[in-house]
Amino acid sequence: MAFKSLEVDRVTGGSLRAIEIGVTSRCNFRCDYCGAYDLTERKILSVDDVARVIDTLPDLERVKLSGGEVLLEFDICEGIIAYCTSKGIQTQINSNGTVLNEEKFARLEAAGLDVLHFSLNHTDAASHAAFYRVTEKMFPKIVNAVSRSVASPTIDTVVETILFDETRARMPEVHRFAAGLGVTKHEVQMEIPSVHQGYANTMDTEAVLGAITTMIEARDPRTTIYFSCLSAYFNPRSDTWKRLQLLLRDPGVIYASCIEGKAQLHLHSNGDVMICELGNPDVIGNVFETDMLRMYDESPKLREFVQKKHEEETFSCFRHFDKPGQKVANPGGLSLLPIPVMRAASE
C-alpha cells in the first residue's frame, strides 16, 4: 500500500479504512501552527487500548500515529506498529524526528513501520530555532533522522511542509533541500486554522495558488509533490479550482483528496473520536464507551459532515472565526504542558 494511496484513489465512503491516532499530546516543540485537538490532555493510549479498537474495524487498511511528538512515547508506538504489521495494516508515524537514533530506527524497522513522515519547514538551524522556539541543536537532529530514514531499506520517507505565510516564499528552497537529502516524496499541507490557536497569517486563495505555481515550477524531477487539503481553499466549482487543475497535470504532482469522515476518523489520546482533527474536530463519541465502528455507522454529526463535505461540497474546513486571507484578532498561544499520565488498564 503506497503513501496516500487511499487519497490518490479517491476512495468512496461506506467503510472505515483508516484511522489517525494521537497517542499523546506531549511535545518537545511549540509550533504556532499546531493542530493537535487538546494540548492539555495528558492521558496516553496504551498498545492494548489501540489493539482493541483495531480489532473492531474489519476494513482497516492504514493506521497513522501522531501527537504531539508521538515518538516521545516510543515503546507504545513500537508496540502499535508491530501489532498492525501482524494484521497486515499499513503504518505511518508523523514526527519531528528529533528523538530518533540508530537503535530506535532499527526497532521501528523490525516492527515493520511502512512510512516515516517528517515535518520540515526550514533549511537552516537559526531560522528553525527562532520559529519553533527551540535550540539550534534540534535542526541537525532532524536532518540526520531524515537522512537515516532515506537510507532505510524498508521505511518509506516523506517530508511535509506547511504552506502558510511564514513558508510560502521559501517553499521551493525547502523542496530542493529535501530532495537533496534523497527524499522522493514531499507533502505540502495547506494551512488549516487550529481550533485552539487560530492563525494570524492565513493566506487568501490567490496567494495560495501563486505559491503552488512557484513550487511546481521549481519541482525537483526526483521528488514527487503531494498536495493535501486543497479543498479547504479551492471550491471544486470555482474558477481558481479550474486554474489549479492545469498545474496538477505534471505527473510528479499529486492531489491527495480528502477522505476525512468518509473513510478515516481520528482517535485522541483520551479516547475521543473526531471526524477530522484539523478541519472538523467535532467529537462523535469515545472508544471507552462506544465502538468506533458504531460511531462511523450511526453518528448524525458524521453523516451531516459527509453530506456537506463530500457530496454537496459545501462544507468549509475553516472555523467561522478563521477565514482564508483574514487576520485573527486574538490567535492565542501555547503554554507549557503538565506531565503525562498513563491510562490505567481498568479505566
Side-chain angles (χ1 to χ4, degrees):
M1 186 178 184
F3 172 68
K4 289 285 186 185
S5 60
L6 296 177
E7 290 82 357
V8 172
D9 290 343
R10 313 288 195 266
V11 298
T12 58
S15 61
L16 185 54
R17 300 169 64 177
I19 55 174
E20 181 164 351
I21 305 173
V23 175
T24 177
S25 293
R26 191 162 63 106
C27 191
N28 57 347
F29 278 16
R30 294 293 179 263
C31 308
D32 283 339
Y33 60 80
C34 180
Y37 161 62
D38 185 352
L39 293 171
T40 63
E41 177 59 68
R42 297 295 87 197
K43 291 180 179 176
I44 301 171
L45 290 169
S46 70
V47 177
D48 288 341
D49 290 336
V50 174
R52 281 192 291 270
V53 173
I54 289 172
D55 288 345
T56 67
L57 304 176
D59 299 316
L60 191 63
E61 300 176 35
R62 184 181 72 197
V63 169
K64 293 183 186 179
L65 303 182
S66 60
E69 173 45 52
V70 68
L71 289 177
L72 290 173
E73 304 299 336
F74 185 86
D75 291 346
I76 295 175
C77 290
E78 181 185 30
I80 295 172
I81 297 299
Y83 188 78
C84 289
T85 299
S86 73
K87 298 287 186 178
I89 298 168
Q90 187 199 47
T91 53
Q92 174 177 318
I93 287 178
N94 296 350
S95 172
N96 62 37
T98 57
V99 300
L100 285 166
N101 55 33
E102 181 56 37
E103 182 226 348
K104 289 178 179 178
F105 266 108
R107 288 168 62 182
L108 290 176
E109 288 169 335
L113 177 65
D114 293 294
V115 177
L116 192 48
H117 183 278
F118 296 94
S119 298
L120 185 69
N121 293 293
H122 298 81
T123 60
D124 66 275
S127 62
H128 178 272
F131 181 76
Y132 288 106
R133 300 189 291 277
V134 296
T135 69
E136 293 190 13
K137 295 178 181 179
M138 289 294 197
F139 188 73
K141 293 181 179 180
I142 297 170
V143 173
N144 290 338
V146 172
S147 298
R148 171 60 178 83
S149 184
V150 167
S152 172
T154 57
I155 296 174
D156 196 10
T157 306
V158 180
V159 158
E160 177 194 72
T161 304
I162 308 294
L163 176 53
F164 61 119
D165 202 44
E166 168 72 23
T167 59
R168 63 170 164 170
R170 62 171 177 272
M171 293 297 286
E173 178 187 357
V174 175
H175 177 71
R176 288 190 293 266
F177 183 81
L181 294 175
V183 175
T184 60
K185 296 180 176 68
H186 187 183
E187 180 177 9
V188 177
Q189 168 70 50
M190 298 299 106
E191 170 198 27
I192 306 295
S194 65
V195 72
H196 56 78
Q197 176 97 16
Y199 293 167
N201 52 0
T202 317
M203 297 164 60
D204 62 35
T205 302
E206 287 297 326
V208 172
L209 186 63
I212 290 174
T213 301
T214 301
M215 187 172 184
I216 291 176
E217 289 174 348
R219 184 180 73 82
D220 189 295
R222 300 169 296 178
T223 304
T224 300
I225 302 176
Y226 295 76
F227 286 101
S228 298
C229 294
L230 288 175
S231 60
Y233 283 83
F234 301 96
N235 187 300
R237 300 183 181 92
S238 67
D239 177 65
T240 49
W241 179 259
K242 294 177 182 177
R243 290 158 58 195
L244 178 65
Q245 300 313 297
L246 299 176
L247 301 173
L248 300 179
R249 290 178 178 176
D250 184 331
V253 176
I254 294 177
Y255 163 47
S257 68
C258 179
I259 65 168
E260 304 294 355
K262 66 177 179 179
Q264 176 169 278
L265 293 175
H266 292 243
L267 173 60
H268 187 55
S269 61
N270 66 354
D272 283 349
V273 175
M274 292 162 285
I275 297 172
C276 174
E277 189 174 41
L278 286 178
N280 192 46
D282 280 342
V283 175
I284 61 173
N286 188 289
V287 295
F288 295 104
E289 300 169 359
T290 308
D291 285 346
M292 185 182 285
L293 190 58
R294 182 177 177 183
M295 299 178 216
Y296 177 77
D297 289 335
E298 300 179 4
S299 169
K301 283 185 180 180
L302 181 57
R303 285 199 298 269
E304 181 183 12
F305 172 84
V306 171
Q307 180 180 352
K308 291 182 177 179
K309 172 69 177 180
H310 299 294
E311 297 171 8
E312 299 174 357
E313 298 178 332
T314 58
F315 176 85
S316 172
C317 294
F318 291 91
R319 311 268 65 77
H320 68 280
F321 51 82
D322 285 343
K323 302 294 182 183
Q326 296 183 10
K327 306 305 179 188
V328 179
N330 182 20
L334 300 176
S335 59
L336 293 177
L337 304 177
I339 301 298
V341 177
M342 176 68 74
R343 176 181 292 276
S346 59
E347 288 185 16

